[in-house]
Amino acid sequence: MLTIYSASGGRSALSTRTLQQMGYTNVAHLDGGIKAWKEEGLAIEE
């Protein structure tokens, strides 16, 4: 599974859609992006 992420999820959603249109089937994006991930208190390695 390839997971695409961006700051708030908008660009990663578009990237995921484009990859799917190109024929990739095992691709997803992080809904809400890294911002939502951090707000949930999940680990971030910088």
Side-chain angles (χ1 to χ4, degrees):
M1 168 73 68
L2 173 64
T3 304
I4 310 287
Y5 63 90
S6 62
S8 62
R11 288 172 293 175
S12 62
L14 292 172
S15 297
T16 299
R17 181 176 179 216
T18 300
L19 287 168
Q20 290 170 336
Q21 290 171 339
M22 293 172 65
Y24 290 85
T25 58
N26 201 13
V27 62
H29 82 103
L30 181 60
D31 194 27
I34 287 295
K35 182 178 178 183
W37 185 271
K38 285 181 179 180
E39 287 174 356
E40 288 293 320
L42 300 168
I44 299 288
E45 186 175 320
E46 296 183 29

